[in-house]
Amino acid sequence: MPGLDRKDTRFFILIVAATLLMPFILQPFPEGSGMAQFNAGYPDLMQRFVIFGIFAMGFNILFGLTGYLSFGHAAFLGVGSYATVWMYKLLGFNVVPGLILAVICSAIFAVVIGYVSLRRSGIYFSILTLAFAEMSYRLAYSVLTPITNGETGLQVYSNDPQVLMGPGSPESTHFFGLEMASSYVMQIGGWAFTFNFGFYFAAAIFIAMFYLTMRIFRSPFGMMLRAVKSNQQRMNYTGLNSRPYTLAAFVISGSYAGLAGGLLAAMDPLAGAERMFWTESGAVVLMTILGGAGTLLGPVLGAGFIKYFENIFSKINDNVLHGWFAWMPDGLEDFMVAIIHPFVGKGWHLTLGLLFMAVVIFLPGGLVEGGQRVARIFRRRDKKAPEGSPEEQAAEQRNPGPAE
Amino acid sequence: MDAIFLQILNGLDKGSAYALIALGLTLIFGTLGVVNFAHGALFMIGAFCAVTLQRFLNLSYSAVDETKTDFLGNPMVVKTPYVEGWFGPELGQAIIAWSVPLAILLAIPVMLFVGFAMERGLIKHFYKRPHADQILVTFGLAIVLQEIIKYYFGANPIQTPAPPALVGSFDFGVLLGFDPNVIIYPIWRLVYFIFALVIICAVFAFLQFTTFGMVVRAGMADRETVGLLGINIDKRFTIMFGVAASVAGLAGVMYGPILAPNYHMGMDFLVLSFVVVVVGGMGSLPGAVAAGFILGILQSFASMNEVKALMPGIDQIVIYLIAIIILLTRPRGLMGRKGVMED
């Protein structure tokens, strides 16, 4: 790939393959089996994986590289959604103008907020971004109702102009005639794999964005951002003005969020102010940290992880639990169900909170660091392999260092 | 004039809550240097102390009263709270009615315990970690605490009424020489304001006039030197964490009659309290208190119809707007100390 070395190219191809094969990978259990509820291969969830992957990836460009912890990123998500739905209302259901406007609007928004907020750093920056996001949220509910449609949420009505709507245009969101909702279901044995156009559209954008992020991470610009994180003062002393770099990072990351918001509206032509609420900003922070801030893959993993648990864990109720422990003696079964009950179903947030605390305490690098630690254990085992074996050579390649 | 006065009064109760929470946050930040995102959860736990006590006092036993019959003609089953059985009906009723103020007695030990447990069990390990880590772990803790409360008490708000003697409103204006029936003010809000003032004064007096407080203030100014003098400053800071937790808890207990406790009330207050702390200046106790009251009062001014007509939507955003203006013009907040959190 242009701009990527061999290792990165391999990594990128792996990501592309994993993304495109998601309908297979996430559907490991046959339909109707007891484990089928753990399948995540349905379009709605897969779309969320890639869209929130983009959101978290963008947040990571700001937080992971420069260390500026923004607590108001959901504002850009909301702006993107509103912009896209407005394009539906004015032009028609083609998503392209909407997504373009979403990126432009959120970028402009990010320039304004970033210009003001980046005058301060540390917790003051967090509070400033939080204040801006809360203001957007509250205004969207009150004064800006003509633009945002208040609590009802912005949606397309039949009397909207939609000037580009021809007689034959689809009545739902589409990409030049290909409808987002259209799916093809493939039955193989007991398995049903759903291929949804909306998912593949979002996945294509995700892959493009991942490539862009990779280039940013490996570029001199990315290096500059890392320098801001490690020692901004020193950077200033050397005569570099770091503000343009941080502002650029803020705007880029805001546009990612806007694009994600636009994609959310592309999958479901609705936009509501609740997308701007600060808990949503908190969620993207959780995703990034959980996965591993400052790494390429981490935020994406974190986003997938949280969205998966949100959808799957919250569906486990007492009946399902009783089904699992049916093989135990009655008393023990009830006991197990009673123990697990608070952590699943409606209480899955408790699991999320505990998990999140555990990650921050024990694995500050997130899931990626966890994976690396596990990998290191395996590498040590590699070392014990007989000399000159292929394993050892591979281990040497992966972990070049002074010979023992 | 009376309209302005009324708005000031209206802002006082929210302002008191902001001030109390911000005071606790600043105590923790000033002593331990930890940004505690779980402080809102402590406020919420305090409110649920009142709920717990109310439930506990209403525990009843059933007895069959042969002299009365229910509508089917059977002997009526009368439920009597244990408290009435122990103390006689009149005193028992009074205890139940005054459950919210009585919950203060329950909340102080509970909150001290929660505070100590939190500091020793979790926060202690985060002194040396970056502020971002502290924010994140306490944020996770806040989620956990909130979900535990939700599990035991349900997601719906639970009414905790004020004692009957303090329910209703009275004509506050007459006392100050205004015309009758112009300034009608709910009694409980005034009680809350006075309560908040007492707590704030108590905390300041504790820090100002006791040896313990003096050591703590010295520790806030220069921890290392105090440690070198052979004083176990960590232990004192842990106690201050407990004190800060109790302040938040007490603020929550008494807030129950104003806002029925629900599991996410802490988060709602937390965001605003952080804004208050930053506006007041990180690490400045008087700043936090002043900013709490100022922002509470400004918020109630902004919800006046005259102001809203002039600037639509201002009532929703005034706090954040003020915060942004103050942060950009006075980088250390209203009364922030030099060198605190300036990076």
Side-chain angles (χ1 to χ4, degrees), chain A residues 121-206:
Chain A
S121 62
I123 189 161
Y124 297 105
F125 173 79
S126 304
I127 295 282
L128 278 171
T129 47
L130 176 69
F132 275 113
E134 274 296 274
M135 272 166 62
S136 326
Y137 167 73
R138 289 178 189 275
L139 288 179
Y141 263 137
S142 54
V143 184
L144 296 179
T145 309
I147 303 175
T148 61
N149 209 9
E151 288 185 29
T152 325
L154 194 63
Q155 47 189 306
V156 182
Y157 295 111
S158 52
N159 58 355
D160 285 329
Q162 298 201 299
V163 289
L164 291 185
M165 279 284 267
S169 324
E171 281 293 316
S172 66
T173 54
H174 64 89
F175 175 68
F176 296 111
L178 293 162
E179 284 186 43
M180 291 295 162
S182 60
S183 301
Y184 166 69
V185 180
M186 186 165 74
Q187 292 277 356
I188 302 178
W191 284 266
F193 301 107
T194 315
F195 299 94
N196 170 262
F197 177 70
F199 163 69
Y200 275 103
F201 180 75
I205 293 180
F206 169 79

Side-chain angles (χ1 to χ4, degrees), chain B residues 12-311:
Chain B
L12 282 184
D13 61 316
K14 264 218 165 116
S16 317
Y18 295 155
L20 284 178
I21 302 176
L23 180 70
L25 270 175
T26 310
L27 269 181
I28 293 174
F29 181 76
T31 51
L32 300 168
V34 169
V35 183
N36 181 16
F37 252 59
H39 212 67
L42 295 175
F43 176 74
M44 182 230 2
I45 290 178
F48 275 91
C49 279
V51 174
T52 315
L53 188 73
Q54 186 186 317
R55 294 214 169 153
F56 180 72
L57 290 179
N58 278 313
L59 284 179
S60 323
Y61 60 90
S62 306
V64 180
D65 189 346
E66 298 286 355
T67 57
K68 293 180 196 160
T69 50
D70 62 9
F71 64 99
L72 287 174
N74 301 323
M76 190 154 75
V77 178
V78 182
K79 280 192 159 184
T80 323
Y82 284 106
V83 196
E84 284 186 30
W86 295 336
F87 299 108
E90 272 169 33
L91 187 58
Q93 286 288 350
I95 290 178
I96 291 176
W98 285 75
S99 63
V100 170
L102 281 177
I104 292 176
L105 298 178
L106 172 70
I108 292 176
V110 168
M111 296 315 295
L112 279 175
F113 173 73
V114 171
F116 291 152
M118 227 173 108
E119 205 275 336
R120 284 292 97 183
L122 181 71
I123 310 276
K124 187 178 76 172
H125 307 288
F126 278 79
Y127 292 158
K128 300 257 164 65
R129 303 268 286 262
H131 284 303
D133 278 7
Q134 298 169 353
I135 292 177
L136 294 168
V137 80
T138 47
F139 185 58
L141 181 68
I143 297 176
V144 170
L145 290 175
Q146 164 175 334
E147 289 299 315
I148 291 174
I149 293 288
K150 183 179 161 195
Y151 180 69
Y152 283 107
F153 292 92
N156 296 323
I158 299 164
Q159 299 292 338
T160 45
L166 300 177
V167 170
S169 313
F170 72 113
D171 205 335
F172 191 59
V174 174
L175 299 178
L176 299 164
F178 291 103
D179 294 334
N181 289 327
V182 177
I183 296 172
I184 309 282
Y185 197 63
I187 303 171
W188 185 260
R189 294 192 179 207
L190 198 67
V191 170
Y192 191 79
F193 172 60
I194 293 168
F195 172 77
L197 279 190
V198 169
I199 298 263
I200 291 168
C201 292
V203 170
F204 275 94
F206 179 62
L207 286 175
Q208 212 67 36
F209 301 124
T210 61
T211 321
F212 185 95
M214 189 185 70
V215 173
V216 168
R217 275 186 296 133
M220 282 166 85
D222 190 340
R223 181 180 187 151
E224 205 173 342
T225 312
V226 175
L228 288 175
L229 290 171
I231 296 168
N232 186 352
I233 191 74
D234 284 356
K235 197 171 141 198
R236 291 184 161 79
F237 279 177
T238 308
I239 293 172
M240 283 320 284
F241 194 97
V243 170
S246 332
V247 169
L250 292 181
V253 169
M254 297 291 273
Y255 209 71
I258 300 175
L259 175 77
N262 55 4
Y263 73 98
H264 54 78
M265 70 191 292
M267 285 288 187
D268 301 345
F269 269 87
L270 175 83
V271 172
L272 281 171
S273 312
F274 255 98
V275 173
V276 168
V277 169
V278 171
V279 166
M282 296 292 287
S284 157
L285 295 173
V289 173
F293 282 115
I294 290 172
L295 289 184
I297 291 167
L298 278 177
Q299 197 179 23
S300 88
F301 269 116
S303 43
M304 281 167 79
N305 283 330
E306 292 85 348
V307 180
K308 271 201 275 192
L310 208 62
M311 286 175 281

